[in-house]
Amino acid sequence: MNYFTAGSDNVVSRFEADYQRKNNREDMENITHLGRIDRAIAENLSDIRVSFEDYAGLALDFIIFISKRIKYDLFGYTCFTLQEFCEATGRNRGDLAQKLPAEYLDKKKPHTVEGYRFETVFEHLLIQLMKTNLLFSNVYTTKDRNETVKIESIRIIRDVQLNYNRRSNEIKRYEVRLSPELLDGFIKRYYTIDTEAYKLAGKGRGRENRQAVVIYLSVLRHLLFSQNNNVTTIKMDVISSYLNTENKKTFHQKEMVDNVLKLIRDKAKFPFNYKFVSGSKNYTYYIELSFLPAYSKATFLKEHNFYYGLLDDLKLLYNSKYKDLVHRDKEPFQAWLTTRKVDVKEKVQVLKKVYAKAFAINLTDNQAMNIYFKGLKEP
């Protein structure tokens, strides 16, 4: 098996300490609950069901989980255990560690690496995310450096590895290299999402519906935040469309929406208030949403500038050295980025420069080297 020591164990705390010195502790605690979701995915959630069928809920959980983990695993494969995934998403470890039925494995022939069969529910998910593209029913259009980019599909995972020795008591750690599309979305086109609220809203039956509402509220908050606003009014139908209430009377729809919003606010701790507003015709209801401050805009911008600047400058470094070479890898930049022993000094210098520009803090060579090899600490 391939052994890979990078990841979130034994990681440095310098990033967290510096952040706390520059911002108050309460703001830091709030922003650690924020992950990212690609805008193309957030605006096409129903397509996850079409592409991944019964694995749709797990697939979305993984996207939310991994899009937060890559905030800390900057230069390598994102490394994690099944237990860490379950703690972050609220999933039951026993359910995901179960082997798939024998008749299914005989028919499908599970993915095998050096004799190890990926045959549990969770491992099957990882392989499906690597082999299956998330196809969008509507082409997602965005702008990148004044160029129009049309996105018809997104692959989630580029490669999966495992550092598991079956002859010892070593815990299985999965090592995932993200697709360039998902990494690009993490940097350039994303909505911030409250990952803790997403997790808490997923407890019990109907989890996928409630979690879809959390994503919608996160998107709405992100858009309002960018406009220096925190209040808006929407049709109640927007929320009820996530809850499969089409065949219920308006009164019962309102009751269901009220229950879900109350749960998300009180039990999932998503910081917002709401009230129903009666429409003028046909008993139409509207909802006035007021989002409470969850983080400062200055902190958010620093984080955004750090990740955007880091990837941008690393691409410039790569192109200056290897752009005209012929590569075996179909995605040579990512292969270079995740090969830690190549161009270490140059990569570390880029990290130091971008870190200083974003946070006004000069890392020492040792601090930057620790971040490069071990990642930032996940609070």
Side-chain angles (χ1 to χ4, degrees):
M1 285 296 167
N2 177 42
Y3 283 78
F4 187 76
T5 58
S8 57
D9 280 354
N10 302 317
V11 290
V12 295
S13 61
R14 177 64 56 185
F15 181 75
E16 183 183 15
D18 288 343
Y19 233 157
Q20 289 174 345
R21 283 198 294 271
K22 300 295 290 183
N23 306 282
N24 64 66
R25 182 177 296 274
E26 181 180 357
D27 189 47
M28 180 60 190
E29 289 173 351
N30 285 333
I31 203 168
T32 59
H33 290 318
L34 296 178
R36 299 181 175 193
I37 183 170
D38 192 305
R39 292 190 176 207
I41 296 174
E43 295 177 15
N44 294 279
L45 288 181
S46 61
D47 291 327
I48 296 179
R49 172 65 58 183
V50 176
S51 292
F52 296 105
E53 300 177 336
D54 291 343
Y55 273 77
L58 268 176
L60 182 57
D61 278 0
F62 185 83
I63 291 168
I64 299 297
F65 168 75
I66 207 69
S67 294
K68 184 177 180 184
R69 288 297 293 245
I70 57 177
K71 293 174 68 175
Y72 308 100
D73 296 321
L74 297 176
F75 289 94
Y77 281 68
T78 299
C79 189
F80 58 90
T81 66
L82 176 56
Q83 183 62 34
E84 289 170 338
F85 174 81
C86 291
E87 289 173 355
T89 61
R91 291 283 181 172
N92 182 281
R93 187 181 183 281
D95 293 340
L96 302 187
Q98 284 186 355
K99 286 187 178 181
L100 294 167
E103 58 271 19
Y104 180 89
L105 294 174
D106 290 340
K107 182 179 179 181
K108 294 292 185 178
K109 303 298 180 185
H111 186 74
T112 302
V113 176
E114 297 184 20
Y116 180 85
R117 286 158 50 102
F118 284 67
E119 56 188 11
T120 68
V121 172
F122 183 69
E123 291 166 353
H124 183 67
L125 167 71
L126 295 180
I127 300 307
Q128 291 307 305
L129 291 172
M130 183 175 68
K131 291 184 175 181
T132 306
N133 283 3
L134 170 54
L135 302 176
F136 298 133
S137 53
N138 297 308
V139 176
Y140 181 85
T141 303
T142 186
K143 290 280 189 179
D144 185 10
R145 302 182 188 277
N146 296 320
E147 291 185 6
T148 299
V149 178
K150 293 185 178 181
I151 303 172
E152 298 181 353
S153 66
I154 286 180
R155 185 175 35 157
I156 309 302
I157 293 176
R158 172 67 177 83
D159 188 29
V160 178
Q161 298 183 16
L162 186 67
N163 69 334
Y164 175 53
N165 187 343
R166 285 164 290 171
R167 292 170 294 183
S168 73
N169 293 322
E170 181 185 11
I171 297 175
K172 283 192 286 188
R173 297 191 66 83
Y174 299 97
E175 300 162 3
V176 171
R177 177 170 143 192
L178 300 182
S179 72
E181 307 98 289
L182 197 68
L183 183 61
D184 203 49
F186 168 81
I187 297 294
K188 297 178 180 178
R189 52 171 198 278
Y190 64 89
Y191 294 117
T192 54
I193 180 170
D194 190 321
T195 56
E196 188 67 12
Y198 176 88
K199 169 187 172 181
L200 294 175
K203 293 184 177 180
R205 294 179 60 185
R207 61 176 291 149
E208 291 180 32
N209 294 337
R210 294 190 299 274
Q211 288 176 323
V213 175
V214 170
I215 291 176
Y216 172 76
L217 293 175
S218 294
V219 168
L220 202 55
R221 181 176 67 178
H222 183 111
L223 292 171
L224 289 170
F225 181 81
S226 66
Q227 300 164 6
N228 295 315
N229 191 9
N230 69 320
V231 181
T232 190
T233 300
I234 63 171
K235 281 188 175 182
M236 186 186 74
D237 294 350
V238 176
I239 301 296
S240 61
S241 67
Y242 292 104
L243 306 178
N244 301 322
T245 64
E246 296 85 356
N247 298 324
K248 296 186 179 296
K249 294 182 179 179
T250 302
F251 172 79
H252 293 298
Q253 288 187 18
K254 179 177 179 290
E255 187 177 36
M256 291 179 67
V257 169
D258 186 32
N259 289 337
V260 166
L261 291 179
K262 190 177 296 181
L263 182 148
I264 291 172
R265 182 191 64 191
D266 298 340
K267 293 187 177 180
K269 305 184 189 314
F270 192 95
F272 79 109
N273 289 315
Y274 69 96
K275 65 180 180 180
F276 289 92
V277 182
S278 296
S280 58
K281 295 181 180 179
N282 301 325
Y283 301 101
T284 301
Y285 281 102
Y286 293 83
I287 306 172
E288 182 181 286
L289 299 166
S290 303
F291 294 97
L292 306 179
Y295 48 90
S296 74
K297 193 167 185 178
T299 302
F300 171 81
L301 288 174
K302 287 177 183 178
E303 181 189 73
H304 171 81
N305 291 336
F306 172 68
Y307 290 110
Y308 192 97
L310 182 63
L311 193 67
D312 221 30
D313 284 6
L314 286 170
K315 284 185 176 179
L316 288 174
L317 172 62
Y318 171 82
N319 287 334
S320 70
K321 301 190 69 170
Y322 305 110
K323 182 180 180 180
D324 297 327
L325 295 182
V326 177
H327 303 276
R328 293 182 180 179
D329 198 293
K330 292 182 179 179
E331 292 141 5
F333 169 72
Q334 268 208 303
W336 172 81
L337 184 66
T338 55
T339 305
R340 290 178 184 260
K341 293 183 180 181
V342 174
D343 298 329
V344 175
K345 291 183 179 179
E346 292 95 328
K347 290 176 182 175
V348 167
Q349 288 306 309
V350 169
L351 172 63
K352 289 178 64 177
K353 182 188 73 173
V354 176
Y355 196 98
K357 186 176 180 180
F359 302 113
I361 295 170
N362 294 316
L363 297 173
T364 67
D365 287 340
N366 286 338
Q367 289 168 348
M369 197 69 74
N370 277 332
I371 290 174
Y372 176 75
F373 279 109
K374 300 178 181 179
L376 301 171
K377 181 179 179 181
E378 181 172 6

